[in-house]
Amino acid sequence: MKKVYIIVSILFFSLMTFAQSGTQFMDNRPWQEVLQRAQRENKLIFVDCYTSWCGPCKQLSTQVFPQEKMGEYLNSRFVNAKYDVEKGEGLTVGKQYDKEIKVFPTMLILTAQGEIIHKVSGCRPVDELIAAIEEGLQGNTIYNLKKEYDKGNREWSFIQKYLNLLETAVERKEYEKVAREYASRFPVDSLLNQDIWNIVGKFVIQTPFSPEFRFVIEHIDDLDSKGLVNRYQLECKLSEEMGFAVNSIYLVSNKTHSEDTLVMLQEKIDYLRTLLKKPVKGFPTSLAELSLSESKIKQDVNQLYERLCVLVECGFTDRDILLANMLKYLAQNLNNKAHLKRCIDIAEYLKDISSKTSWVQEGFDEAIALANQKLGSKK
């Protein structure tokens, strides 16, 4: 028993020593107390803004801030405060700095008067966090660099520094804006330059109707051979974005019968078809779905029926909701008994092999019910 007591005492003492050697926080204390202490001690303020449900926040709290090196750095330079910004005094702090707190955790560096100097977002190792804070203390803050950017500085070394800080602060919209503006100064084939690709590659593959997206599709081999991309991951992303574009055409066609809109949709279909003929993973499925949407937009029921039958027979059955909706449309508009019966067979087959989620199953059930109702009225 005595040995157990000694072991427990040693563990308790070790934990207490570890906690005391780490970062010392004013934990959810009134904000005015923090400001007054900072002014009295002539220190800057370091604020950890967190929430109770944030995993990275807990990681910072339990693995990073308690470390001796982190404590030595922060305790000597700052009055440290932490706030759950969803309750108590944290609500006041969160509201005051709501434009800066966009993700969790966000760490703010403030003057003793509460003016923002710098911010760092996300959980990161001790050395990396200290380096990110030091950048701000040396004047390399997103606020200072934004002023310089707005004055027209477009030197590559400056742009790199600014983008790195925007990434550190998780300012995604501003990062994309600056990256796109910088890349737009060069011809589209500059995407084959590693520096340009590194800053804008992840954005240009999200916009299927842009010239950059088309360039990427037409130069996958070049991007791959230069080692700029993981070809498999790139093709998966291109296919995903194409799928969204094709689906958006279908959704818009459901909402309007305006001739101008339908003409615009047909132009988009013609454009996407040229891209979807490229040998990219997943493109054949999107091309098949595009052909269905085209028939529906043209209100060519027989063509839609024939295309859907062929595509199902060929195994293009990936998008359950789209197929269910196409079958419902056919059930409502077909007049041929044999075709209606075939739609029922297809719906039952797809229901059996599709996702078992309720709305998918209900979609096929509705198509079957509509077709049976139509057949019943024809007896």
Side-chain angles (χ1 to χ4, degrees):
M1 184 68 182
K2 186 175 181 180
K3 290 182 178 179
V4 173
Y5 175 78
I6 293 173
I7 291 172
V8 170
S9 298
I10 292 173
L11 289 172
F12 178 76
F13 179 77
S14 299
L15 288 171
M16 290 297 294
T17 302
F18 180 64
Q20 291 172 2
S21 66
T23 309
Q24 303 299 308
F25 283 102
M26 297 180 71
D27 192 351
N28 287 286
R29 298 297 300 163
W31 183 235
Q32 285 304 314
E33 284 187 21
V34 176
L35 293 173
Q36 289 169 7
R37 179 177 168 184
Q39 291 164 20
R40 186 169 62 251
E41 297 181 8
N42 194 27
K43 285 184 175 181
L44 297 174
I45 303 171
F46 176 87
V47 186
D48 172 31
C49 302
Y50 68 92
T51 67
S52 60
W53 46 263
C54 166
C57 299
K58 291 184 175 69
Q59 192 175 353
L60 265 179
S61 178
T62 59
Q63 299 178 26
V64 178
F65 290 139
Q67 291 191 41
E68 183 175 357
K69 184 175 183 179
M70 192 80 253
E72 287 178 354
Y73 177 81
L74 290 176
N75 297 338
S76 62
R77 292 166 175 79
F78 304 95
V79 169
N80 304 305
K82 61 190 302 183
Y83 291 95
D84 181 337
V85 297
E86 293 185 334
K87 65 182 181 182
E89 186 69 14
L91 289 170
T92 301
V93 175
K95 184 176 181 180
Q96 183 169 344
Y97 299 102
D98 63 333
K99 291 182 179 179
E100 310 300 334
I101 305 172
K102 299 177 181 177
V103 297
F104 296 104
T106 288
M107 290 150 279
L108 304 176
I109 309 297
L110 310 169
T111 67
Q113 289 69 42
E115 297 172 352
I116 185 85
I117 297 175
H118 187 45
K119 73 172 180 176
V120 180
S121 298
C123 180
R124 53 193 73 220
V126 170
D127 289 340
E128 190 177 324
L129 179 55
I130 290 175
I133 295 171
E134 276 296 308
E135 279 288 309
L137 297 183
Q138 298 301 320
N140 295 320
T141 73
I142 57 174
Y143 309 100
N144 290 340
L145 267 62
K146 185 179 189 313
K147 292 176 183 177
E148 195 171 341
Y149 181 81
D150 290 342
K151 290 178 181 177
N153 190 339
R154 296 298 183 271
E155 293 182 6
W156 173 234
S157 59
F158 168 76
I159 292 295
Q160 282 182 304
K161 182 189 295 186
Y162 188 25
L163 289 174
N164 285 337
L165 284 176
L166 288 171
E167 190 168 26
T168 296
V170 197
E171 290 283 350
R172 295 187 181 94
K173 288 184 178 179
E174 187 66 15
Y175 182 104
E176 181 173 356
K177 174 178 173 288
V178 172
R180 284 185 180 278
E181 285 179 355
Y182 183 78
S184 68
R185 302 166 64 219
F186 306 99
V188 70
D189 61 3
S190 65
L191 288 171
L192 296 176
N193 175 282
Q194 185 168 13
D195 288 334
I196 300 299
W197 178 262
N198 286 344
I199 66 171
V200 296
K202 56 189 171 185
F203 303 122
V204 299
I205 58 175
Q206 296 175 356
T207 49
F209 295 99
S210 71
E212 293 85 2
F213 190 93
R214 184 179 193 121
F215 179 87
V216 170
I217 289 176
E218 293 175 345
H219 292 82
I220 290 179
D221 289 341
D222 297 325
L223 291 164
D224 185 29
S225 65
K226 287 176 174 287
L228 299 180
V229 299
N230 176 306
R231 186 181 188 117
Y232 176 80
Q233 293 177 355
L234 175 60
E235 291 198 13
C236 287
K237 182 60 179 176
L238 293 171
S239 178
E240 179 185 353
E241 295 300 332
M242 274 296 208
F244 290 145
V246 170
N247 193 48
S248 70
I249 289 174
Y250 167 73
L251 293 174
V252 172
S253 72
N254 278 345
K255 295 178 181 178
T256 179
H257 296 290
S258 161
E259 287 189 15
D260 290 340
T261 301
L262 294 178
V263 169
M264 178 269 292
L265 291 177
Q266 185 61 51
E267 290 174 352
K268 287 189 172 185
I269 287 172
D270 294 339
Y271 178 80
L272 291 180
R273 181 180 286 111
T274 63
L275 299 184
L276 288 168
K277 290 180 179 179
K278 304 294 182 181
V280 175
K281 172 184 168 60
F283 275 22
T285 298
S286 290
L287 184 59
E289 293 168 353
L290 190 68
S291 71
L292 298 181
S293 294
E294 182 178 38
S295 297
K296 183 176 178 297
I297 288 170
K298 292 178 178 178
Q299 298 184 346
D300 191 333
V301 179
N302 291 325
Q303 184 186 70
L304 175 58
Y305 167 78
E306 291 170 1
R307 286 182 172 179
L308 186 140
C309 289
V310 170
L311 296 179
V312 170
E313 289 172 2
C314 293
F316 291 99
T317 56
D318 291 348
R319 201 181 295 275
D320 301 330
I321 297 297
L322 176 69
L323 292 171
N325 286 332
M326 290 297 181
L327 284 165
K328 284 189 282 186
Y329 178 80
L330 288 173
Q332 291 168 333
N333 294 279
L334 280 172
N335 291 310
N336 184 296
K337 276 190 174 184
H339 290 176
L340 284 167
K341 289 178 181 178
R342 176 63 175 145
C343 285
I344 292 172
D345 292 339
I346 291 174
E348 289 176 343
Y349 164 72
L350 293 175
K351 179 183 175 183
D352 186 54
I353 68 168
S354 70
S355 164
K356 301 307 176 186
T357 51
S358 59
W359 61 86
V360 171
Q361 296 289 301
E362 289 169 3
F364 290 122
D365 285 338
E366 189 175 346
I368 293 167
L370 286 168
N372 276 322
Q373 184 180 6
K374 198 84 168 282
L375 286 169
S377 66
K378 290 180 176 293
K379 291 179 181 179

